[in-house]
Structure formats: structure tokens, C-alpha cells
Amino acid sequence: MKPIIRDARPADVADILRLIRALATYEREPRAVRASEDAIHQTLFGAGAQVFGHVAELDGSIVGIAIWFLNYSTWTGRPGIYLEDLFVEESIRGTGAGRALFRALAQEALRRGCARIDWAVLDWNRPAMDFYRAIGGRAQTGWQPWRIDGAALEALAA
Amino acid sequence: MKPIIRDARPADVADILRLIRALATYEREPRAVRASEDAIHQTLFGAGAQVFGHVAELDGSIVGIAIWFLNYSTWTGRPGIYLEDLFVEESIRGTGAGRALFRALAQEALRRGCARIDWAVLDWNRPAMDFYRAIGGRAQTGWQPWRIDGAALEALAA
């Protein structure tokens, strides 16, 4: 049986948080998730929400998620989709759920006039890279991600 | 004299595009910019615009820009600022314009409850890295950026 891909609904929030946590565990950061059900509900379904979710549903259960938002490139002059989290339960990997989620995002991207889909992968995650390569993705070389947060962010603002 | 940092206004669009082009030239991709004045106007000032700009103004001239939008982290459960483009004209580098633009972003981040500011730097751009380190930023290791676009994006959607 093939999973159904559909837009996330408010009733999915507990499952979405469960899969966000499962992804963090897979990424070896099981305690990294500080988001709550309330926060996710507000982010995805609150007034003016700009973060979106697709889910993969199999036999009435949520078995996969894609959480994304729009970004923007001054070079293309167009928006793009940034895929924040993609996760498919281990037990159904290989059934096409990941590809189906990505296809739904690609359709969403074309519908919205987006130039591309971007995401990031942990540099040891070979199975994910193999999958991304198989659907037409490619690693971006030459760019280094940087961040400022916590006390450094507050000091800069002061 | 110190530059003034303020929100971008519609009258700044031509200068913003000029500095986006100057940045692309500095990044050794002078022909990469496909954005037009109309596209930038629409993106920054159209109905429901979700992309924002700060400018640095010195003696009535726009000498620096920061173009940014909000992203979202499922781990923090909070939005963040993604800094798409930061550029300061070569002639006024070292006057504090870059730091002042970044400080305005940090203040914006705290006001909006953002957990962090993220951006990317070309891996040969040592002067930029030195500046980012000086204001409290740090390179994110372990993550690889990936992308799908063009014909591969269309094939995936089909």
C-alpha cells in the first residue's frame, strides 16, 4: 500500500511533534527539540502562519512529514522552498513515501513560481544523500553556513 | 560620519539592485543576478511581502544593504532571521556600517522572538569571516546544503 500525501491539519500536531522528535533522535540530538505541541500548532495553523507541513498517511497513521517555508533569492529574484525537516518512519522507508513527499513539494514549488528547493543534510548521513541524489538533488559546494544566537545575539543587539 | 541604518523604502529599489549586483560581482558571479527593479519592489513592498530590507545611508546615499526573511526551526520551535544578502560598499568598509546593519538585525530578531540569525558565506571569503567572527558569529559545521532546481525540479514534480 502506498502512503497518501496531504497538507498537514491541526489534528496532526501530536504526530508531527512525535516525528520531529524521531528525526532529532536519528540525528543524534534527541534532546534538541524544544518545540511544544502548542508552538507547532501556532506556527503551522496560527493567524498569518508562514510555515507549512505535508504529511504522509498510511492506513490512517502519520508516517512521514515535510515541514517547510518560503525563502527568497536576490539572484533569482524569486521565492524558493526551504525544507526544514523531512522524516519518514524507519519501518516504511523504501516504500516511496520520501519521494512522494518531495514530489508534493516540487509541485508546490512550481505552483508558487519558486526557483528551487533547498535543505541541509548532516554530513555523515549517507542514506539521506543517496536518496536526495536519486531524486535529482545535488550538494551545494562553496558555501559555509554561519549563525549567531544566544548571548552573542543579545550582546550584538545591545 | 556614521551611516544611518533604517528600513528600506520603495524609493531605495534602484540602489538595492545596484548593491545586489555589486555583491554578485564581489562573489565572482557578476551575471548571476536575474532580479529586476520590479521584482525587488514586489518582493519587498508588494501586498503580503515577507522579505525585508535594511539600508545603511551615508550623506543621503545608500551604501549598504541587508536583505532578510524569517525562517523557522522545529528544534527551537521559534522563528529565526535568515540574512540573504549583506553588502557594504568597498569605499566605506571599516566605518562600522556592516556591524550597524547586523546590530539592527539582532534587535529585530529579539523583538520578533527569534532564536538566531543564520546566513551563508563563500568559503574563500576570509575578510567576511573575520568580520562575522568579530561580531559573535560562528561557522556551523556538520551540515551540507543541498538543492534541487531547474529541469530536475520539474522532473520530480511530473
Short mmCIF file of all heavy atoms in Angstrom, two decimals, chain A residues 56-99:
data_model
loop_
_atom_site.label_atom_id
_atom_site.label_comp_id
_atom_site.label_asym_id
_atom_site.label_seq_id
_atom_site.Cartn_x
_atom_site.Cartn_y
_atom_site.Cartn_z
N ALA A 56 2.64 12.29 5.25
CA ALA A 56 2.39 11.03 4.55
C ALA A 56 1.56 10.17 5.49
O ALA A 56 1.95 9.96 6.64
CB ALA A 56 3.71 10.34 4.21
N GLU A 57 0.40 9.73 5.01
CA GLU A 57 -0.53 8.96 5.84
C GLU A 57 -0.67 7.56 5.26
O GLU A 57 -0.88 7.40 4.06
CB GLU A 57 -1.89 9.68 5.85
CG GLU A 57 -2.89 9.08 6.80
CD GLU A 57 -4.22 9.86 6.81
OE1 GLU A 57 -4.19 11.11 6.82
OE2 GLU A 57 -5.26 9.20 6.78
N LEU A 58 -0.55 6.57 6.13
CA LEU A 58 -0.65 5.17 5.69
C LEU A 58 -1.59 4.46 6.65
O LEU A 58 -1.35 4.45 7.87
CB LEU A 58 0.74 4.53 5.72
CG LEU A 58 0.87 3.12 5.13
CD1 LEU A 58 0.62 3.12 3.63
CD2 LEU A 58 2.27 2.56 5.42
N ASP A 59 -2.68 3.90 6.10
CA ASP A 59 -3.66 3.21 6.96
C ASP A 59 -4.12 4.08 8.13
O ASP A 59 -4.26 3.58 9.25
CB ASP A 59 -3.07 1.91 7.53
CG ASP A 59 -2.96 0.82 6.46
OD1 ASP A 59 -3.73 0.89 5.47
OD2 ASP A 59 -2.12 -0.06 6.63
N GLY A 60 -4.29 5.36 7.88
CA GLY A 60 -4.78 6.26 8.93
C GLY A 60 -3.72 6.75 9.90
O GLY A 60 -4.03 7.51 10.82
N SER A 61 -2.46 6.32 9.72
CA SER A 61 -1.38 6.78 10.61
C SER A 61 -0.45 7.73 9.87
O SER A 61 -0.17 7.53 8.68
CB SER A 61 -0.54 5.59 11.09
OG SER A 61 -1.32 4.74 11.88
N ILE A 62 0.05 8.73 10.59
CA ILE A 62 1.03 9.65 10.01
C ILE A 62 2.40 8.98 10.11
O ILE A 62 2.89 8.71 11.21
CB ILE A 62 1.06 10.99 10.77
CG1 ILE A 62 -0.34 11.61 10.86
CG2 ILE A 62 2.05 11.96 10.12
CD1 ILE A 62 -0.97 11.96 9.55
N VAL A 63 3.01 8.73 8.96
CA VAL A 63 4.28 8.00 8.93
C VAL A 63 5.42 8.85 8.37
O VAL A 63 6.57 8.41 8.34
CB VAL A 63 4.16 6.69 8.11
CG1 VAL A 63 3.20 5.72 8.79
CG2 VAL A 63 3.71 7.00 6.68
N GLY A 64 5.10 10.07 7.92
CA GLY A 64 6.15 10.93 7.38
C GLY A 64 5.71 12.38 7.41
O GLY A 64 4.51 12.67 7.40
N ILE A 65 6.69 13.28 7.47
CA ILE A 65 6.39 14.72 7.47
C ILE A 65 7.41 15.49 6.62
O ILE A 65 8.56 15.09 6.49
CB ILE A 65 6.43 15.34 8.90
CG1 ILE A 65 7.76 15.01 9.61
CG2 ILE A 65 5.24 14.90 9.73
CD1 ILE A 65 8.00 15.80 10.89
N ALA A 66 6.93 16.57 6.07
CA ALA A 66 7.81 17.58 5.46
C ALA A 66 7.35 18.93 6.01
O ALA A 66 6.18 19.30 5.87
CB ALA A 66 7.70 17.56 3.94
N ILE A 67 8.25 19.64 6.69
CA ILE A 67 7.95 20.96 7.25
C ILE A 67 8.78 21.97 6.47
O ILE A 67 10.00 21.79 6.34
CB ILE A 67 8.32 21.03 8.75
CG1 ILE A 67 7.68 19.88 9.53
CG2 ILE A 67 7.93 22.39 9.34
CD1 ILE A 67 6.19 19.92 9.63
N TRP A 68 8.16 23.00 5.95
CA TRP A 68 8.86 23.91 5.03
C TRP A 68 8.32 25.32 5.14
O TRP A 68 7.26 25.56 5.69
CB TRP A 68 8.75 23.38 3.60
CG TRP A 68 7.35 23.17 3.12
CD1 TRP A 68 6.56 22.05 3.35
CD2 TRP A 68 6.54 24.07 2.36
NE1 TRP A 68 5.33 22.23 2.77
CE2 TRP A 68 5.28 23.45 2.15
CE3 TRP A 68 6.76 25.34 1.83
CZ2 TRP A 68 4.25 24.06 1.43
CZ3 TRP A 68 5.73 25.96 1.10
CH2 TRP A 68 4.49 25.31 0.91
N PHE A 69 9.10 26.23 4.56
CA PHE A 69 8.66 27.63 4.47
C PHE A 69 9.25 28.21 3.19
O PHE A 69 10.06 27.56 2.52
CB PHE A 69 9.07 28.44 5.71
CG PHE A 69 10.52 28.33 6.07
CD1 PHE A 69 11.48 29.10 5.42
CD2 PHE A 69 10.95 27.43 7.05
CE1 PHE A 69 12.82 28.99 5.75
CE2 PHE A 69 12.30 27.31 7.39
CZ PHE A 69 13.23 28.09 6.73
N LEU A 70 8.86 29.43 2.88
CA LEU A 70 9.39 30.07 1.67
C LEU A 70 10.64 30.87 2.02
O LEU A 70 10.68 31.57 3.03
CB LEU A 70 8.34 30.99 1.05
CG LEU A 70 7.11 30.27 0.48
CD1 LEU A 70 6.11 31.29 -0.04
CD2 LEU A 70 7.50 29.30 -0.64
N ASN A 71 11.64 30.77 1.18
CA ASN A 71 12.78 31.66 1.31
C ASN A 71 12.83 32.58 0.08
O ASN A 71 11.83 32.68 -0.67
CB ASN A 71 14.09 30.87 1.52
CG ASN A 71 14.42 29.96 0.35
OD1 ASN A 71 13.82 30.05 -0.72
ND2 ASN A 71 15.38 29.08 0.56
N TYR A 72 13.90 33.25 -0.17
CA TYR A 72 13.97 34.20 -1.27
C TYR A 72 15.42 34.34 -1.69
O TYR A 72 16.32 34.34 -0.84
CB TYR A 72 13.43 35.57 -0.83
CG TYR A 72 13.69 36.67 -1.82
CD1 TYR A 72 13.03 36.69 -3.04
CD2 TYR A 72 14.62 37.67 -1.55
CE1 TYR A 72 13.30 37.69 -3.97
CE2 TYR A 72 14.88 38.67 -2.46
CZ TYR A 72 14.22 38.67 -3.67
OH TYR A 72 14.48 39.65 -4.58
N SER A 73 15.63 34.42 -2.97
CA SER A 73 16.97 34.62 -3.50
C SER A 73 17.03 35.93 -4.27
O SER A 73 16.23 36.16 -5.19
CB SER A 73 17.32 33.46 -4.45
OG SER A 73 18.33 33.86 -5.35
N THR A 74 17.98 36.80 -3.89
CA THR A 74 18.12 38.05 -4.65
C THR A 74 18.68 37.76 -6.04
O THR A 74 18.49 38.57 -6.96
CB THR A 74 19.07 39.03 -3.93
OG1 THR A 74 20.21 38.32 -3.47
CG2 THR A 74 18.38 39.69 -2.77
N TRP A 75 19.40 36.64 -6.21
CA TRP A 75 19.95 36.33 -7.53
C TRP A 75 18.85 35.90 -8.50
O TRP A 75 18.76 36.42 -9.60
CB TRP A 75 21.04 35.26 -7.43
CG TRP A 75 22.30 35.80 -6.82
CD1 TRP A 75 22.45 37.00 -6.16
CD2 TRP A 75 23.59 35.19 -6.82
NE1 TRP A 75 23.74 37.15 -5.75
CE2 TRP A 75 24.47 36.08 -6.14
CE3 TRP A 75 24.10 34.00 -7.32
CZ2 TRP A 75 25.82 35.79 -5.96
CZ3 TRP A 75 25.44 33.72 -7.13
CH2 TRP A 75 26.29 34.60 -6.46
N THR A 76 18.00 34.95 -8.06
CA THR A 76 16.91 34.53 -8.96
C THR A 76 15.80 35.57 -8.97
O THR A 76 15.02 35.61 -9.91
CB THR A 76 16.29 33.18 -8.52
OG1 THR A 76 15.66 33.35 -7.24
CG2 THR A 76 17.34 32.08 -8.43
N GLY A 77 15.71 36.38 -7.91
CA GLY A 77 14.60 37.32 -7.79
C GLY A 77 13.28 36.62 -7.53
O GLY A 77 12.21 37.19 -7.71
N ARG A 78 13.36 35.37 -7.10
CA ARG A 78 12.14 34.57 -6.90
C ARG A 78 12.18 33.89 -5.53
O ARG A 78 13.25 33.69 -4.96
CB ARG A 78 12.03 33.50 -8.00
CG ARG A 78 11.71 34.08 -9.36
CD ARG A 78 12.07 33.10 -10.49
NE ARG A 78 11.30 31.87 -10.42
CZ ARG A 78 11.54 30.81 -11.20
NH1 ARG A 78 12.54 30.83 -12.08
NH2 ARG A 78 10.81 29.73 -11.09
N PRO A 79 11.00 33.50 -5.04
CA PRO A 79 11.00 32.71 -3.81
C PRO A 79 11.48 31.29 -4.08
O PRO A 79 11.62 30.88 -5.24
CB PRO A 79 9.51 32.71 -3.41
CG PRO A 79 8.76 32.88 -4.68
CD PRO A 79 9.64 33.70 -5.59
N GLY A 80 11.74 30.59 -3.02
CA GLY A 80 12.09 29.18 -3.09
C GLY A 80 11.46 28.49 -1.90
O GLY A 80 10.95 29.14 -0.99
N ILE A 81 11.49 27.17 -1.93
CA ILE A 81 11.03 26.41 -0.78
C ILE A 81 12.25 25.99 0.03
O ILE A 81 13.22 25.48 -0.54
CB ILE A 81 10.21 25.17 -1.22
CG1 ILE A 81 8.81 25.61 -1.64
CG2 ILE A 81 10.15 24.12 -0.10
CD1 ILE A 81 7.88 24.48 -2.03
N TYR A 82 12.22 26.25 1.34
CA TYR A 82 13.25 25.70 2.21
C TYR A 82 12.61 24.58 3.03
O TYR A 82 11.64 24.79 3.75
CB TYR A 82 13.84 26.76 3.15
CG TYR A 82 15.05 26.17 3.85
CD1 TYR A 82 16.30 26.20 3.26
CD2 TYR A 82 14.90 25.49 5.06
CE1 TYR A 82 17.39 25.59 3.87
CE2 TYR A 82 15.99 24.88 5.67
CZ TYR A 82 17.23 24.93 5.06
OH TYR A 82 18.30 24.31 5.65
N LEU A 83 13.17 23.41 2.86
CA LEU A 83 12.67 22.22 3.54
C LEU A 83 13.40 22.09 4.86
O LEU A 83 14.58 21.73 4.91
CB LEU A 83 12.90 20.99 2.65
CG LEU A 83 12.55 19.63 3.25
CD1 LEU A 83 11.08 19.58 3.68
CD2 LEU A 83 12.84 18.53 2.24
N GLU A 84 12.70 22.41 5.94
CA GLU A 84 13.33 22.42 7.27
C GLU A 84 13.51 21.00 7.80
O GLU A 84 14.57 20.66 8.32
CB GLU A 84 12.46 23.25 8.21
CG GLU A 84 12.77 23.17 9.68
CD GLU A 84 14.11 23.81 10.07
OE1 GLU A 84 14.67 24.57 9.25
OE2 GLU A 84 14.58 23.54 11.18
N ASP A 85 12.47 20.20 7.68
CA ASP A 85 12.51 18.83 8.22
C ASP A 85 11.81 17.88 7.27
O ASP A 85 10.68 18.15 6.84
CB ASP A 85 11.76 18.76 9.56
CG ASP A 85 12.66 19.04 10.76
OD1 ASP A 85 13.87 19.26 10.55
OD2 ASP A 85 12.15 19.06 11.88
N LEU A 86 12.48 16.79 6.97
CA LEU A 86 11.84 15.69 6.22
C LEU A 86 12.12 14.43 7.02
O LEU A 86 13.27 14.15 7.37
CB LEU A 86 12.46 15.56 4.83
CG LEU A 86 11.89 14.42 3.98
CD1 LEU A 86 10.51 14.77 3.45
CD2 LEU A 86 12.82 14.10 2.81
N PHE A 87 11.07 13.69 7.31
CA PHE A 87 11.28 12.45 8.06
C PHE A 87 10.23 11.43 7.65
O PHE A 87 9.06 11.75 7.48
CB PHE A 87 11.19 12.70 9.57
CG PHE A 87 11.58 11.50 10.39
CD1 PHE A 87 12.91 11.10 10.45
CD2 PHE A 87 10.62 10.74 11.08
CE1 PHE A 87 13.28 9.98 11.20
CE2 PHE A 87 10.99 9.63 11.83
CZ PHE A 87 12.33 9.24 11.89
N VAL A 88 10.69 10.19 7.49
CA VAL A 88 9.81 9.06 7.21
C VAL A 88 10.16 7.97 8.22
O VAL A 88 11.34 7.68 8.44
CB VAL A 88 10.02 8.55 5.76
CG1 VAL A 88 9.29 7.23 5.55
CG2 VAL A 88 9.54 9.61 4.77
N GLU A 89 9.14 7.41 8.84
CA GLU A 89 9.39 6.35 9.84
C GLU A 89 10.21 5.23 9.23
O GLU A 89 9.98 4.80 8.10
CB GLU A 89 8.06 5.81 10.37
CG GLU A 89 7.51 6.68 11.46
CD GLU A 89 6.28 6.07 12.12
OE1 GLU A 89 5.98 4.89 11.85
OE2 GLU A 89 5.64 6.78 12.90
N GLU A 90 11.12 4.72 10.06
CA GLU A 90 12.05 3.71 9.57
C GLU A 90 11.32 2.50 8.95
O GLU A 90 11.73 1.99 7.91
CB GLU A 90 12.95 3.24 10.72
CG GLU A 90 14.22 2.61 10.21
CD GLU A 90 15.30 2.46 11.29
OE1 GLU A 90 15.11 2.98 12.40
OE2 GLU A 90 16.32 1.82 10.97
N SER A 91 10.24 2.09 9.59
CA SER A 91 9.54 0.87 9.16
C SER A 91 8.98 0.97 7.74
O SER A 91 8.72 -0.05 7.10
CB SER A 91 8.42 0.54 10.13
OG SER A 91 7.50 1.61 10.18
N ILE A 92 8.77 2.18 7.24
CA ILE A 92 8.20 2.27 5.88
C ILE A 92 9.18 2.89 4.88
O ILE A 92 8.80 3.22 3.76
CB ILE A 92 6.85 3.02 5.85
CG1 ILE A 92 7.04 4.50 6.18
CG2 ILE A 92 5.82 2.39 6.75
CD1 ILE A 92 6.12 5.36 5.34
N ARG A 93 10.45 3.02 5.27
CA ARG A 93 11.41 3.53 4.29
C ARG A 93 11.55 2.55 3.13
O ARG A 93 11.50 1.34 3.33
CB ARG A 93 12.77 3.78 4.95
CG ARG A 93 12.74 5.11 5.69
CD ARG A 93 14.04 5.48 6.36
NE ARG A 93 13.71 6.26 7.56
CZ ARG A 93 14.47 6.38 8.63
NH1 ARG A 93 15.66 5.81 8.66
NH2 ARG A 93 14.06 7.08 9.67
N GLY A 94 11.71 3.09 1.95
CA GLY A 94 11.79 2.23 0.77
C GLY A 94 10.44 2.03 0.09
O GLY A 94 10.35 1.44 -0.98
N THR A 95 9.36 2.55 0.68
CA THR A 95 8.03 2.38 0.05
C THR A 95 7.69 3.56 -0.85
O THR A 95 6.62 3.59 -1.45
CB THR A 95 6.91 2.30 1.13
OG1 THR A 95 6.85 3.58 1.81
CG2 THR A 95 7.19 1.19 2.13
N GLY A 96 8.58 4.53 -0.94
CA GLY A 96 8.32 5.68 -1.81
C GLY A 96 7.72 6.87 -1.10
O GLY A 96 7.38 7.87 -1.73
N ALA A 97 7.58 6.79 0.21
CA ALA A 97 6.95 7.90 0.95
C ALA A 97 7.81 9.17 0.88
O ALA A 97 7.27 10.27 0.70
CB ALA A 97 6.71 7.51 2.40
N GLY A 98 9.12 9.02 1.02
CA GLY A 98 10.01 10.18 0.96
C GLY A 98 9.95 10.85 -0.40
O GLY A 98 9.84 12.07 -0.52
N ARG A 99 10.00 10.03 -1.45
CA ARG A 99 9.92 10.58 -2.80
C ARG A 99 8.57 11.26 -3.04
O ARG A 99 8.49 12.32 -3.66
CB ARG A 99 10.14 9.47 -3.84
CG ARG A 99 10.05 9.96 -5.28
CD ARG A 99 10.17 8.83 -6.28
NE ARG A 99 11.55 8.42 -6.48
CZ ARG A 99 12.34 8.90 -7.45
NH1 ARG A 99 11.89 9.81 -8.29
NH2 ARG A 99 13.57 8.46 -7.57
#
